[in-house]
Amino acid sequence: MPRSQKLRVLFITSEVYPLCKTGGLGDISAALPVALRALHSDVRLLLPGYPQVMAGVKYKYKVAEFNTLSQFPPASLLSARLPLSGAGSIPVFVIDCPGLYNREGGPYMDAFGHDWPDNALRFGLLSKIGAILGSDTSPIAWHPHIVHCNDWQSGLTPAYLSFYSGEKAATMMTVHNLAFQGIFPPGSVVQLGLPPDSFDINGVEYYGNLSFLKAGLYYADQITTVSPNYAKEIQIEPLGFGLQGLLAARQPDLAGIINGIAITEWDPETDHYLIKNYNSKNLSNKTANKTALQQQMGLTVDAHIPLLGVVSRLSHQKGIDLLIQIAPQLIKMPAQLVVLGRGHPELEHLLSTLAQAYPKSIAVHVGFNEALSHLMEAGIDCFLMPSRFEPCGLNQMYSQRYGTPPIVHATGGLLDTVVDCTPVTLANHTASGFVFYSMTAASLLDTVKRAVLAYHNKKTWQSLQKNGMAKDFSWNASAMAYQELYRRLLH
Ligand code: ADP
């Protein structure tokens, strides 16, 4: 395909900010298509019509009906636009299927945290319509060159397309987190209209069940994941989660492309959640945010004590248990700790107990709070990310942009985006945070001590801050890498 010809890409996703977001996928689905369109690719989204999507998209009108997909309830396809501010208007196809999507609750779970019992059909339909739009049987005139699937929810699209023998788009499967695989009982294979003989180790079968993600990884023409380091880690145990053999076998078709961040929303110079804006030339203005945060969270107001912070889902993946173990030693350094998060009830309880025991040194806010997360990035001195695994991670990038050096475990995208502070990296101006290599409380504690020591050396600390703030975390480079892969796929 000549380079002058515009690439048409159908980007299938189960969530997109601001309509529906449970994690990083929602952010990426909003940002990457915008960055690709800026490079003149014609990217359009395909989304399930949850109530918040139906209410949030603009200018919607019906373009097709699907009444004869025997396994699925009747559905229509709407053409609409995403309500993104300042990013132009992103075209989106929405699947209107009230029987599957018109209900209160989250995209994957009900209000009590139980998976929807018909998730196989909900995301089977998303995958199926994605495949139809990528084939020459599509009822609409716009035919994509590439169908770009994201996570297990659209993992069956490459499978459906692989069983279709007519003209069809090339497929890309992006893994945002291999821990979520979309596993359903074997009976779902026939229910979803997949050929019975695809239920095989060389097919959609995963240890006796159907896995949507395995299907995508097996049948897609190209696989990507969200950092170069995670692309290596998932080819071996333990981070391959049972798929390491398949991923290692597909290594020539597996690429790691680091995510970007929304640099206009996460900019300390303009962020309206901050008490005082700042940039790398007037870093002293950052202190007003620290004071406000200490006041707001009931901590002792002290500009000189290192204030460490976490914004995170509270889960085993995020290593919060290690942080809880070292908290008493941390405040003896002395340092303060502030945590914003929600998730596992036991972790919420343990953190709240710590905050009650040390009210002037440890503060915990259980909940999801966008405004506080921004103020924390500006107000804390050091961001903690002791994740057991982290496909890419966003907060370590926000932190560097906010002059808040992160402390990270050497895993996934954290290792790709943070440069450990050493005499060598300080001398060559690349040091931007602290990396620990062994997933133990002792190793985390040693690294926090190292960071606190550096914090008290003004020159070192400012170098770290400035090096991090000078980095380019925009989506531009990532979008170029995706576009290059799309083009390669078409050759
Ligand atoms: P994951 O997708 O694994 O949760 P990421 O680092 O990729 O982790 O993305 C998490 C995003 O959600 C970040 O933007 C982070 O700031 C935000 N976030 C997580 N927990 C909270 C919270 N309690 N309040 C506000 N924002 C949060």
Side-chain angles (χ1 to χ4, degrees), residues 21 23-24 27 311-313 317-318 340-342 367-370 373 385 390 393-395 398:
K21 169 182 159 179
D27 290 322
V311 180
S312 179
R313 281 189 292 121
Q317 177 196 337
K318 302 291 179 179
L340 165 62
R342 65 174 180 192
F368 193 94
N369 188 324
E370 190 80 23
S373 73
M385 274 180 107
E390 196 64 76
L394 295 171
N395 280 103
Y398 302 155

Side-chain angles (χ1 to χ4, degrees), residues 177-193:
N177 190 337
L178 200 69
F180 303 112
Q181 303 189 344
I183 292 174
F184 300 96
S188 317
V189 172
V190 173
Q191 188 196 18
L192 292 166

Side-chain angles (χ1 to χ4, degrees), residues 241-257:
F241 288 100
L243 291 167
Q244 59 275 2
L246 170 60
L247 288 161
R250 296 222 52 194
Q251 191 266 334
D253 306 318
L254 168 59
I257 301 177

Side-chain angles (χ1 to χ4, degrees), residues 37 95 126 166 170 226 293 315 325 327 416 428 441 448 486:
R37 287 180 72 86
I95 303 171
L126 175 67
V226 290
L293 184 64
S315 72
Q325 281 181 56
D416 285 320
N428 67 19
V448 173
Y486 293 155

Side-chain angles (χ1 to χ4, degrees), residues 152 180-185 206 209-213:
W152 70 264
F180 303 112
Q181 303 189 344
I183 292 174
F184 300 96
Y206 175 81
N209 285 308
L210 160 68
S211 161
F212 275 44
L213 184 65

Side-chain angles (χ1 to χ4, degrees), residues 118-409:
D118 54 356
N119 268 348
L121 277 179
R122 282 161 66 79
F123 298 106
L125 182 66
L126 175 67
S127 297
K128 180 75 187 176
I129 292 183
I132 293 171
L133 299 186
S135 75
D136 59 4
T137 60
S138 173
I140 60 173
W142 183 84
H143 291 280
H145 299 108
I146 305 278
V147 174
H148 187 160
C149 307
N150 291 278
D151 276 351
W152 70 264
Q153 293 86 354
S154 46
L156 290 191
T157 299
Y160 286 128
L161 275 173
S162 151
F163 306 130
Y164 178 68
S165 53
E167 290 260 325
K168 55 193 167 187
T171 51
M172 180 182 285
M173 179 81 228
T174 296
V175 182
H176 300 267
N177 190 337
L178 200 69
F180 303 112
Q181 303 189 344
I183 292 174
F184 300 96
S188 317
V189 172
V190 173
Q191 188 196 18
L192 292 166
L194 293 163
D197 61 5
S198 68
F199 191 67
D200 186 81
I201 186 163
N202 292 311
V204 303
E205 189 244 352
Y206 175 81
Y207 299 99
N209 285 308
L210 160 68
S211 161
F212 275 44
L213 184 65
K214 154 92 188 286
L217 297 175
Y218 185 80
Y219 291 105
D221 298 313
Q222 171 74 45
I223 303 169
T224 71
T225 188
V226 290
S227 67
N229 191 42
Y230 192 60
K232 286 188 215 143
E233 290 174 338
I234 58 178
Q235 294 178 47
I236 45 174
E237 283 187 317
L239 295 188
F241 288 100
L243 291 167
Q244 59 275 2
L246 170 60
L247 288 161
R250 296 222 52 194
Q251 191 266 334
D253 306 318
L254 168 59
I257 301 177
I258 198 85
N259 287 333
I261 60 171
I263 51 168
T264 45
E265 268 165 62
W266 292 92
D267 182 353
E269 268 197 282
T270 53
D271 190 331
H272 57 271
Y273 292 119
L274 305 196
I275 299 298
K276 212 166 195 177
N277 291 108
Y278 59 92
N279 58 32
S280 59
K281 294 190 189 73
N282 60 7
L283 270 167
S284 55
N285 285 353
K286 191 176 187 295
T287 312
N289 298 294
K290 177 170 179 177
T291 306
L293 184 64
Q294 286 171 323
Q295 276 166 347
Q296 186 176 326
M297 302 303 285
L299 299 170
T300 303
V301 175
D302 179 348
H304 302 292
I305 191 166
L307 174 55
L308 315 178
V310 177
V311 180
S312 179
R313 281 189 292 121
L314 302 178
S315 72
H316 183 71
Q317 177 196 337
K318 302 291 179 179
I320 304 299
D321 48 319
L322 292 197
L323 184 61
I324 291 170
Q325 281 181 56
I326 68 160
Q329 284 116 300
L330 202 146
I331 59 172
K332 278 192 211 140
M333 285 178 185
Q336 294 177 340
L337 174 66
V338 53
V339 180
L340 165 62
R342 65 174 180 192
H344 201 286
E346 195 190 336
L347 292 172
E348 289 181 0
H349 171 73
L350 288 171
L351 284 167
S352 303
T353 307
L354 271 175
Q356 280 159 15
Y358 308 100
K360 292 288 164 199
S361 304
I362 299 181
V364 175
H365 181 103
V366 174
F368 193 94
N369 188 324
E370 190 80 23
L372 182 56
S373 73
H374 283 248
L375 179 62
M376 281 180 61
E377 285 291 3
I380 60 178
D381 295 303
C382 212
F383 196 98
L384 288 158
M385 274 180 107
S387 306
R388 289 194 160 75
F389 66 94
E390 196 64 76
C392 177
L394 295 171
N395 280 103
Q396 82 281 9
M397 294 191 269
Y398 302 155
S399 300
Q400 289 170 82
R401 195 156 158 75
Y402 278 62
T404 302
I407 297 176
V408 302
H409 180 221

Side-chain angles (χ1 to χ4, degrees), residues 14-15 20 47-55 95 101 107-108 122-123:
S14 55
E15 48 185 275
C20 167
L47 270 177
Y50 318 118
Q52 59 275 43
V53 169
M54 295 295 280
I95 303 171
Y101 304 134
Y108 319 121
R122 282 161 66 79
F123 298 106

